[in-house]
Amino acid sequence: MADDAKLQYADDKGNVSPGSDPAASDIDLGSTGVRRRFPYFSLQVRQEESSFAATKNASNADFDPIPPSKRTWTWKAYVAYWMADAWAVSNWEVASSMIAVGLSWRTAIGACVLGNFVMGLVITINGRMGAILHVPFPVVARMPFGYYFSYFVVLSRCVLAIVWLGVQTTTGGQCMTVLLTAIWPSFGRIPNQIPEHQGITTAGMVGFLLYFLLQLPFLCIPYTKVQYFFGFKSIIAPAVFLAVFGDTLRRAGGTLAHSAVIKDENKIGGSVLAWAFFSNLNGVLGNYATLGLNIADFARYSDKPSAQNVQVIVIPAIFTIVGLLGIFTAAAAETAYGEVLWNPIDIIHHWMDGGSSGGRAAAAFAAIGLIIVTLGINISANSISAANDLMAFWPKYINIRRGQLLAAFIGSWAFVPWKILESAATFLAFLGGYTIFLGPMTSILITDYYLVRRGNVSVPDMYNFHGIYRYHPKLASNWRAVAAFFIGCAPPLPGFVENIVVAGGGKTSISEGGLHIFHIGYIYSFVAAGAFYWGFNKFFPHPESTMDHPETGEDVIAANDLKNQEHRRRVAKKRNIFQKIFEV
């Protein structure tokens, strides 16, 4: 079937008139009316000669397997990537909820270390698929789930990415407000014209809008060059957070011993302590369960399969350091400011309390650093992931850049994220418990590739909707994966519902056992779905998709890469400096 897919594509391309350039001909197919008004714009995205897709509706230059010339991420790029991701306000505050339920800071860090270690393993194992096959997550998902059900999986991931993109934009807007207030103190006294129930002030909306506009050009940085921005952020972010910690510790007299955060031991014990530990461990796993599912979106840029293996060390190390510094800073803040402050933005606000120019300057520089931090988070964890997912639905019209911009507009405005952060406790509980759906999806992907197929997969058939991964002539879905998915997520579902209802101030009659399953929801759903999926394939195999060797199509990809490179060289002389910077 893999060879048939290549022949089908070759026949389709053979219909192009001799001497015409396939990429150019694709671009010329835009709407006549639009092109008349905007001669340099096309509704259809730029198309290069695809390696396997038979039509423009199936793929584009960004959705195709990454060719050798664009595999630019070394192991250093993945270190920079996770440095960009880890140094974030949310990870700084990760222990706050654990200590609030009665865990000591040592127990909280234990949960962080274990959770980040497990997630590092999951991300590295799952990422190897992308590093070997060089295809994005929505394409990999077709392998176990089938073509149609994979759209449900992709949509489930896409919604989360867009929502969190909006939430991070709100955090960036808060940093922008701090920056403007530090430069012009009168900005903080702007009369509020927005109703209080909206969850944002006039000054806050100005900061949000300015941050939103600021991030748009950063979202246009191509994936072949974005690792350099991650490297820049990996220098700026630690400097900012260490400065916040160092100044707070100085104001606390250089000691943490007076804080209840450090002095208090576990306030609960026995089975209550055990379940509280597992519940918070599940929360740590859920913090990056999204990237655990779609890490192929980034692993596919690796210059060699082993480049992304560094993640298994980097993730637990960096995230643990950030969590520890968050705990120590909150403890120092209790002595320095009279209250435990987990959010570094609140601490930076205190720097301006005296009104001195030095305090305002420090707050301004710190706010700039945090703006860079949130920009890196939105690129690394949210916008590129959302763009790949959106691209799966309309590859003819959406590439990564358009997808990132579209996700930014939807997440920042359609989802009104400032209101989510201010009052929607129910919605936040929904996002926090959503991991019971991500766990089975991730487990099925890993089980299918490593245990069921043992790496013997066909990349060309992933782009052929009538290929070996169709499974069913009408439904185009793999019942084994569908059944395993629901088996994995069904038992924790009552606890998931209870979590949402309680967050909204209601009550349920869910049993304690149902709550306990939800408290280990990610672990349970991951193990259960993987086990059942393996069992279904053991006793009810699908011979049509079974192969005895992998077919990555690397020879076809490399040949097309040479053609596309030659085309890019021919047109490079006509492009200005901005086009060269933002060109993939």
Side-chain angles (χ1 to χ4, degrees):
M1 286 300 296
D3 294 333
D4 293 342
K6 287 190 283 187
L7 289 172
Q8 180 183 359
Y9 175 76
D11 292 340
D12 182 80
K13 284 298 177 182
N15 295 327
V16 180
S17 59
S20 64
D21 185 271
S25 64
D26 289 344
I27 294 176
D28 290 338
L29 293 175
S31 171
T32 304
V34 173
R35 289 193 59 80
R36 187 178 296 118
R37 293 177 177 84
F38 306 98
Y40 295 103
F41 176 78
S42 172
L43 288 177
Q44 297 182 25
V45 300
R46 179 175 67 89
Q47 296 275 353
E48 293 181 344
E49 185 172 347
S50 179
S51 299
F52 308 116
T55 69
K56 302 177 189 67
N57 292 323
S59 189
N60 60 46
D62 290 344
F63 205 58
D64 262 6
I66 294 295
S69 65
K70 296 181 181 179
R71 298 170 190 171
T72 58
W73 286 36
T74 65
W75 68 269
K76 296 177 183 177
Y78 288 98
V79 173
Y81 173 85
W82 285 108
M83 286 285 283
D85 237 30
W87 291 95
V89 173
S90 58
N91 298 320
W92 186 266
E93 300 175 314
V94 70
S96 61
S97 60
M98 303 184 193
I99 293 176
V101 298
L103 300 185
S104 70
W105 72 270
R106 292 182 180 85
T107 306
I109 283 297
C112 290
V113 172
L114 182 57
N116 290 323
F117 175 74
V118 172
M119 190 49 62
L121 283 175
V122 171
I123 288 174
T124 305
I125 292 172
N126 202 13
R128 189 165 179 82
M129 278 183 263
I132 292 174
L133 306 177
H134 298 287
V135 297
F137 158 68
V139 174
V140 174
R142 295 169 180 172
M143 182 174 60
F145 294 103
Y147 300 111
Y148 288 169
F149 194 73
S150 71
Y151 285 117
F152 166 77
V153 175
V154 171
L155 181 63
S156 301
R157 171 67 185 96
C158 183
V159 171
L160 278 184
I162 292 176
V163 170
W164 284 118
L165 194 157
V167 170
Q168 285 294 336
T169 301
T170 303
T171 302
Q174 294 170 349
C175 298
M176 182 65 76
T177 302
V178 172
L179 173 61
L180 296 175
T181 304
I183 298 174
W184 299 288
S186 59
F187 180 82
R189 299 189 293 271
I190 292 177
N192 182 37
Q193 305 296 328
I194 299 177
E196 185 177 351
H197 69 272
Q198 291 297 320
I200 194 169
T201 64
T202 299
M205 180 59 74
V206 172
F208 179 87
L209 175 61
L210 291 177
Y211 177 84
F212 172 79
L213 295 175
L214 173 67
Q215 79 174 345
L216 293 182
F218 287 91
L219 297 181
C220 294
I221 300 175
Y223 55 80
T224 54
K225 299 167 184 162
V226 73
Q227 69 268 32
Y228 302 116
F229 177 73
F230 293 154
F232 171 68
K233 185 204 163 179
S234 68
I235 297 172
I236 298 297
V240 172
F241 283 104
L242 286 171
V244 172
F245 167 65
D247 182 78
T248 309
L249 184 62
R250 176 187 64 81
R251 293 171 187 261
T255 180
L256 306 175
H258 304 305
S259 172
V261 174
I262 301 300
K263 291 189 297 183
D264 289 351
E265 297 296 328
N266 292 318
K267 298 178 181 178
I268 51 179
S271 62
V272 177
L273 173 61
W275 282 111
F277 176 86
F278 282 115
S279 175
N280 284 283
L281 171 64
N282 192 67
V284 174
L285 292 169
N287 197 30
Y288 277 86
T290 49
L291 278 170
L293 175 62
N294 75 298
I295 190 61
D297 286 339
F298 302 94
R300 68 182 184 132
Y301 305 138
S302 61
D303 62 345
K304 53 185 178 181
S306 61
Q308 62 97 40
N309 292 348
V310 71
Q311 296 177 118
V312 75
I313 300 173
V314 171
I315 292 173
I318 296 179
F319 280 80
T320 299
I321 292 172
V322 173
L324 271 173
L325 285 174
I327 292 173
F328 294 156
T329 303
E334 184 177 13
T335 303
Y337 300 110
E339 58 179 328
V340 177
L341 297 175
W342 288 99
N343 193 331
I345 299 176
D346 295 334
I347 295 175
I348 293 172
H349 266 293
H350 278 292
W351 292 358
M352 298 185 288
D353 287 346
S356 67
S357 57
R360 286 167 46 203
F365 282 115
I368 292 172
L370 290 179
I371 286 172
I372 295 172
V373 166
T374 53
L375 285 173
I377 288 287
N378 259 354
I379 295 172
S380 62
N382 300 319
S383 68
I384 292 179
S385 299
N388 277 287
D389 297 338
L390 290 170
M391 192 164 51
F393 295 97
W394 301 284
K396 187 176 180 180
Y397 300 104
I398 298 179
N399 57 14
I400 286 182
R401 183 168 297 160
R402 289 186 184 181
Q404 286 181 278
L405 296 175
L406 180 60
F409 276 94
I410 296 174
S412 300
W413 301 105
F415 282 103
V416 286
W418 55 85
K419 203 165 185 178
I420 292 176
L421 287 178
E422 179 65 22
S423 59
T426 300
F427 193 63
L428 290 176
F430 170 80
L431 291 177
Y434 201 78
T435 56
I436 66 170
F437 305 109
L438 301 179
M441 296 174 184
T442 308
S443 178
I444 290 169
L445 270 177
I446 292 174
T447 303
D448 185 77
Y449 183 78
Y450 289 101
L451 300 183
V452 175
R453 306 186 190 280
R454 300 185 182 276
N456 296 322
V457 300
S458 171
V459 172
D461 278 287
M462 295 178 191
Y463 289 88
N464 181 3
F465 281 82
H466 297 282
I468 61 177
Y469 302 122
R470 189 171 180 86
Y471 293 104
H472 190 278
K474 292 184 178 180
L475 301 179
S477 300
N478 182 4
W479 70 264
R480 302 158 191 80
V482 175
F485 168 74
F486 285 108
I487 289 173
C489 68
L493 197 57
F496 174 63
V497 173
E498 195 269 351
N499 190 46
I500 296 174
V501 172
V502 171
K507 294 182 179 179
T508 66
S509 57
I510 304 299
S511 67
E512 188 174 355
L515 294 178
H516 288 339
I517 293 178
F518 174 70
H519 290 158
I520 56 171
Y522 183 84
I523 300 172
Y524 173 85
S525 62
F526 186 98
V527 173
F532 273 93
Y533 182 73
W534 179 85
F536 288 146
N537 280 277
K538 178 71 174 178
F539 295 104
F540 309 99
H542 184 254
E544 293 86 348
S545 63
T546 302
M547 301 175 62
D548 58 6
H549 67 281
E551 176 56 76
T552 62
E554 190 68 19
D555 53 341
V556 179
I557 296 171
N560 278 335
D561 189 29
L562 291 175
K563 295 179 185 178
N564 293 325
Q565 285 187 79
E566 179 59 31
H567 170 70
R568 289 195 295 269
R569 279 193 291 267
R570 289 201 309 267
V571 302
K573 297 178 181 179
K574 303 177 183 179
R575 291 180 176 153
N576 59 42
I577 183 65
F578 293 103
Q579 290 174 317
K580 291 179 180 179
I581 290 174
F582 290 104
E583 182 185 32
V584 178

